[in-house]
Structures are given as C-alpha cells and as structure tokens.
Amino acid sequence: MKVLRLGDLILRRQAEAVQEVNDEIRALIADMFVDLDRERGIGLAAPQVGKSIRLFVIKVDDNIERVFINPQIIGTSQEMVLYEEGCLSIPKVWEKILRPSGVTVQALNERGRPFTLEADGLLARVIQHEYDHLNGILFIDRAKPEVREKVETAFAEKARKEAEWAAAKQETEKTGRKKG
C-alpha cells in the first residue's frame, strides 16, 4: 500500500464506521502494520492508505501492536502537554502540538471485541493523532495558522511540479523526444 500525502482529499474526509470486523479488515490491519514498519512510523490510520474507515494501528516504543476499530475518545486529562509531532502523510515536517497528556479510548480490537484503554504519554498522543485522521484532521491543523499555511503551500507546489514532470515525461515517451 502507498501512504497518501498532504493534498489527497481522502485525508480531509470524515471516515465511515467499520460495519463488520472480518477477514478483509484483518488483512488490511496486517498490511497497515507492514507499512508502519516500512515507513518507520508509530501510528497509521486507514485514511492514510486510501481507506475511509474508522480504523488505526499503533506500535510505539513498547513494540506492542495495537488495533483500534471504530474508536471513541471518551475522556481526556486536564493536563496539556506540548510535544513535537510528525506524520507519515506529511514527511519531513515536525511541529510542537499541544494535546491532553492522557486519554481514555473505547474501540474494537481485530477480533471485533470491545475494549477500553487508559493511556498517557506517547501512547496517548499517538492515539489522539490517529483519531484526528479519522475525522479529517491533520496535526498541522493544530499548529499555528502560519505553519499550516506554509506547509500546505509547500506541498501544493511540490505536487504541481511533480505533475508537470510526469506530463513532460509522458509527452517525451509519446513523441520520443524532449519538448522545448
């Protein structure tokens, strides 16, 4: 699977609930963990791989693979913590983001069984980050407006240049010579 980048519209959509935890969902989960390891990430949401469903996977420093299907954050701590975040969909961008230091989340696991988890520290932060993806929110949306604008502009410019390059390459292959 390919991790989608900033600018892909699916990243800005509200994801739909998973209707049934079946073999297809479990295969997607397995593929997402492969992608997570390949990309050296610690969290990955289904919208980031082109599936607009409420599912994310996490594998933080304790190396435990955690699956959250149809998650709901049902509580947050009052204490807020500023911490630098990045995202596989926005590579090479890091920004300090203020979030609650702890969360309580309810979800289904890969067998469709409900669970509740209280988390703090890095695990809580990653849960909140991935949960945001399910609601079409990117971490830069929680940064200062000028940071968000700068990042979005840079990614749009990069996408424009890549599209021009691809069109020129296609024209070269079509005609057998360079244009211009």
Side-chain angles (χ1 to χ4, degrees):
M1 291 186 297
K2 178 183 171 190
V3 175
L4 302 179
R5 302 289 187 235
L6 177 63
D8 196 299
L9 295 179
I10 197 170
L11 295 174
R12 293 303 193 170
R13 283 192 211 132
Q14 179 92 16
E16 298 292 323
V18 173
Q19 297 302 312
E20 179 185 0
V21 180
N22 54 27
D23 289 342
E24 181 181 338
I25 293 295
R26 284 186 280 277
L28 174 61
I29 290 166
D31 289 345
M32 288 174 68
F33 276 117
V34 169
D35 287 350
L36 191 62
D37 288 341
R38 185 188 70 241
E39 298 284 336
R40 295 189 171 125
I42 56 176
L44 185 64
Q48 291 179 275
V49 294
K51 306 290 183 187
S52 190
I53 58 174
R54 298 189 71 76
L55 160 67
F56 62 80
V57 299
I58 292 176
K59 188 175 175 183
V60 293
D61 51 8
D62 59 8
N63 221 28
I64 296 172
E65 292 184 345
R66 292 180 173 91
V67 175
F68 297 80
I69 301 170
N70 297 335
Q72 292 183 332
I73 293 178
I74 60 170
T76 60
S77 65
Q78 289 188 358
E79 179 187 6
M80 302 292 283
V81 177
L82 196 62
Y83 191 84
E84 194 171 62
E85 291 186 28
C87 182
L88 295 176
S89 292
I90 311 174
K92 300 178 184 171
V93 174
W94 298 89
E95 191 62 37
K96 288 186 177 179
I97 305 297
L98 188 65
R99 293 190 188 267
S101 64
V103 296
T104 303
V105 61
Q106 290 180 335
L108 301 176
N109 66 18
E110 66 277 5
R111 292 182 208 93
R113 294 193 180 118
F115 69 93
T116 301
L117 176 69
E118 290 185 21
D120 58 9
L122 181 60
L123 180 58
R125 178 161 298 270
V126 178
I127 288 169
Q128 292 172 82
H129 178 108
E130 300 309 326
Y131 186 81
D132 275 354
H133 274 297
L134 305 183
N135 295 314
I137 300 168
L138 302 175
F139 85 100
I140 58 170
D141 299 335
R142 298 192 180 280
K144 295 176 183 169
E146 59 271 18
V147 169
R148 175 184 174 183
E149 186 177 322
K150 180 181 172 184
V151 171
E152 287 178 333
T153 300
F155 270 76
E157 179 63 16
K158 182 180 179 195
R160 185 188 63 75
K161 286 180 180 178
E162 287 174 353
E164 285 176 1
W165 182 82
K169 182 180 177 187
Q170 187 177 22
E171 183 66 26
T172 300
E173 290 171 354
K174 190 176 178 182
T175 64
R177 64 180 195 273
K178 289 186 177 179
K179 193 174 182 179

